Amino acid sequence: MMEKIFIHRILTLFPNAIARKLLLMLIFILIFWVIYLASKDHTKLLFSLENHITLNQGNIFKKSSHSEAPLCPAVSPKETELRIKDIMEKLDQQIPPRPFTHVNTTTSATHSTATILNPQDMYCRGDQLDILLEVRDHLGRRKQYGGDFLRARMSSPALMAGASGKVTDFNNGTYLVSFTLFWEGQVSLSLLLIHPSEGVSALWRARNQGCDKIIFIGLFANRTSNVFTECGLTLNTNAELCQYMDDRDHEAFYCVRPQHMPCEALTHMTTRTRNISYLSKEEWSLFHRSNVGVEMMKNFTPVEVVPRHKSENIKKNCQIGMKTPFPSGYTLKKMWITAFCKQIKFNETKNINDCLERKLIYLMGDSTLRQWIYYLQKAVKTLKYFDHHGAGIFKTHVLLDVERHILIQWKKHGHPFVTKKLFSLKDENYIPREIDRVAGDKNTAIVITLGQHFRPFPINIFIRRAINIQKAIERLFLRSPETKVILKTENTREIHQNAEMFSDFHGYIQNLIIRDVFVDLNVGIIDAWDMTIAYCTNNAHPLDYVIQNQIGMFLNYIC
């Protein structure tokens, strides 16, 4: 009754019929909306509004309201968590626990036997040569399971030629090692036992036990005073913490808050190795220098490869989206030659300039991509270095050619970044956020690499970052499908360094993850892992001729 009287009084204020109809429609819409909201859980509305706000915040400093950070970085949305769990489960199946009691029960390079299948006096270029490897322990007993981390390579030193071999694990103590004979001449074969399966199992367990093998030290600056405090991906302490959180991607970093300083005063960072290990003393014996990278084919004589008489198939030009096999190519006279596409050679400054003209190129990652900036500056004299200010080698690097409208920029990736050098955080961002800032067009290219700095940390941290980058690339392709994205896999490095933190086994697993996460994206792949095995560099920072050939593959993808 009251509602009718209220409506009648309102209508008397509006004698015009059209105005009355419009008013009635607005009243009914308002009543319907109130009823709809009342029937829903209002917390969902608030949550959706909160999410909408945080999507536009970028990197925001937040002081943690808790005295202690969680043992693992903050929980991400359910979809991402399920993907991380799925990848972790697949890896756990691939790297099952292996019992270890004594070095004598582990794989022995000396006692294992390698046999060429269907041997020939002479092979033709392009043939495949297969070797059956049967592994035994130091007591000569056949092993019943696989999981050894092996590295196969063929080479002709006189030709400065090399290529990776492919290893297939039958998980019963036998392996098939396959070599594609890419060039003619005398070819030597090599198969290194990097780690026995028991060592692989120990590394996998130790890696995923904690984030505390590396100490992060943050510099807080406030007027004339500077204070260093401990930071990290996780911190177990009762001290008051600063929490630096990317709310959308759930990437978290923490620092102990200095007294009388705001969290925003954090300006620089450095790292140190903590004297901590999750390997036992017995397990460490597997990683002594003499037990890492042991040759398993010492007595093999080189094979003779002759030219093939029949013509070879003409390959398509290299382009974005092509699937890269393994091995993806080989090196001959220090030049990288792809096995899956036809390359254009960029040997002269004019050719490179013609390719780069009007290009915006964003290099995002670690120092192995910063090497590209150094090489291009030396090789292309028209590219001038722009002082982006900042200090040290980890600041943003920019090359410019104003006349040709070329810009090439390198920025380091966000936490974790491991170095003893002090580096600034004020120009730092996670790669997904950097990708979000790129408008993109047909003349824009992005190159991404990450991995080396993630090796000392649990693998779920790397998986989360890879997934977040994949999502950022999908967003980029929605607004600009013509933008070119190239992934450079991480390369091999010194094999005798601290294996628990920096073994190439960790890099190998991360490369598998990259290929899994990005399998459905229209991106180019520069297989730096394959290339550095072929070149046998064994250096975290490969030599210039390796960098030159990586850049050559990049130019083939964008021109």
Side-chain angles (χ1 to χ4, degrees), residues 1 48 55 74 128 148 157 160 173 219 239 247 273 341 360 483 548:
M1 184 65 182
S48 65
L55 282 175
Q128 182 169 299
D148 299 298
M160 293 180 287
L219 170 63
D247 290 308
T273 301
C341 63
L360 299 176
T483 302
Q548 175 189 1

Side-chain angles (χ1 to χ4, degrees), residues 372-482:
W372 285 27
I373 288 274
Y374 294 157
Y375 179 83
L376 286 167
Q377 187 181 10
K378 289 185 292 186
V380 185
K381 301 302 182 184
T382 54
L383 287 170
K384 303 301 181 184
Y385 186 77
F386 174 78
D387 187 355
H388 205 271
H389 302 284
I393 60 174
F394 300 118
K395 66 180 179 180
T396 299
H397 289 58
V398 176
L399 292 180
L400 292 173
D401 183 335
V402 176
E403 182 180 337
R404 294 176 179 83
H405 304 282
I406 301 169
L407 180 145
I408 305 174
Q409 173 185 286
W410 173 81
K411 286 190 74 172
K412 60 181 286 299
H413 64 69
H415 306 302
F417 202 83
V418 179
T419 175
K420 292 181 179 180
K421 298 180 184 295
L422 197 68
F423 61 90
S424 172
L425 297 174
K426 286 307 180 183
D427 193 31
E428 180 173 287
N429 220 335
Y430 293 115
I431 288 178
R433 292 291 181 179
E434 289 294 333
I435 295 172
D436 288 340
R437 296 173 61 182
V438 176
D441 59 23
K442 65 180 181 180
N443 288 318
T444 300
I446 297 174
V447 187
I448 300 165
T449 191
L450 73 161
Q452 298 278 353
H453 294 262
F454 286 78
R455 292 188 184 189
F457 303 98
I459 196 67
N460 65 302
I461 294 168
F462 181 81
I463 298 171
R464 188 185 310 278
R465 185 67 51 81
I467 291 172
N468 287 337
I469 292 173
Q470 177 235 334
K471 290 180 177 179
I473 294 172
E474 288 177 340
R475 292 191 294 271
L476 171 65
F477 285 163
L478 283 175
R479 65 182 179 270
S480 176
E482 292 181 308

Side-chain angles (χ1 to χ4, degrees), residues 329-388:
Y330 60 100
T331 173
L332 182 64
K333 297 181 180 178
K334 288 190 176 180
M335 295 301 296
W336 178 255
I337 302 169
T338 59
F340 64 95
C341 63
K342 183 180 178 182
Q343 288 170 279
I344 301 169
K345 297 299 181 184
F346 292 91
N347 296 326
E348 299 179 3
T349 298
K350 184 181 183 306
N351 292 344
I352 299 175
N353 273 331
D354 289 345
C355 175
L356 295 178
E357 189 166 2
R358 300 197 64 81
K359 296 289 195 301
L360 299 176
I361 297 167
Y362 299 96
L363 309 178
M364 304 178 183
D366 57 32
S367 54
T368 64
L369 261 187
R370 191 182 69 239
Q371 286 183 274
W372 285 27
I373 288 274
Y374 294 157
Y375 179 83
L376 286 167
Q377 187 181 10
K378 289 185 292 186
V380 185
K381 301 302 182 184
T382 54
L383 287 170
K384 303 301 181 184
Y385 186 77
F386 174 78
D387 187 355
H388 205 271

Side-chain angles (χ1 to χ4, degrees), residues 33-71:
W33 182 245
V34 171
I35 294 170
Y36 175 79
L37 286 181
S39 66
K40 295 289 183 180
D41 183 356
H42 70 280
T43 58
K44 291 182 179 179
L45 175 64
L46 292 175
F47 180 75
S48 65
L49 287 173
E50 183 181 23
N51 277 352
H52 178 74
I53 293 169
T54 57
L55 282 175
N56 296 289
Q57 287 178 332
N59 277 355
I60 295 178
F61 290 104
K62 291 185 177 181
K63 187 180 76 172
S64 173
S65 59
H66 303 284
S67 61
E68 185 173 338
L71 291 178

Side-chain angles (χ1 to χ4, degrees), residues 455 492-497 502-504 537-541:
R455 292 188 184 189
T492 59
R493 64 180 299 159
E494 303 82 0
I495 63 175
H496 298 301
Q497 283 196 345
F502 296 111
S503 168
D504 273 343
T537 58
N538 293 328
N539 193 318
H541 297 100

Side-chain angles (χ1 to χ4, degrees), residues 107-113 136-138 193 294-296 298:
T107 303
S108 164
T110 303
H111 290 84
S112 299
T113 57
R136 300 176 181 274
D137 65 19
H138 290 264
L193 174 63
V294 184
E295 182 59 65
M296 304 186 82
K298 288 181 180 178

Side-chain angles (χ1 to χ4, degrees), residues 153-163 183-184 186 330-337 534-536 545 549:
R153 179 177 182 264
M154 65 180 195
S155 63
S156 295
L159 299 173
M160 293 180 287
W183 63 87
E184 301 119 32
Q186 278 200 341
Y330 60 100
T331 173
L332 182 64
K333 297 181 180 178
K334 288 190 176 180
M335 295 301 296
W336 178 255
I337 302 169
Y535 281 110
C536 197
Y545 59 82
N549 283 281

Side-chain angles (χ1 to χ4, degrees), residues 240-280:
E240 184 180 10
L241 298 178
C242 291
Q243 174 180 279
Y244 306 100
M245 170 70 80
D246 185 315
D247 290 308
R248 183 193 66 195
D249 293 339
H250 291 261
E251 301 271 12
F253 195 78
Y254 305 91
C255 287
V256 174
R257 180 181 176 179
Q259 288 187 349
H260 312 301
M261 281 195 181
C263 293
E264 291 81 359
L266 177 63
T267 61
H268 291 77
M269 189 75 64
T270 184
T271 65
R272 296 290 183 272
T273 301
R274 194 190 300 270
N275 187 23
I276 187 172
S277 173
Y278 292 104
L279 296 173
S280 68

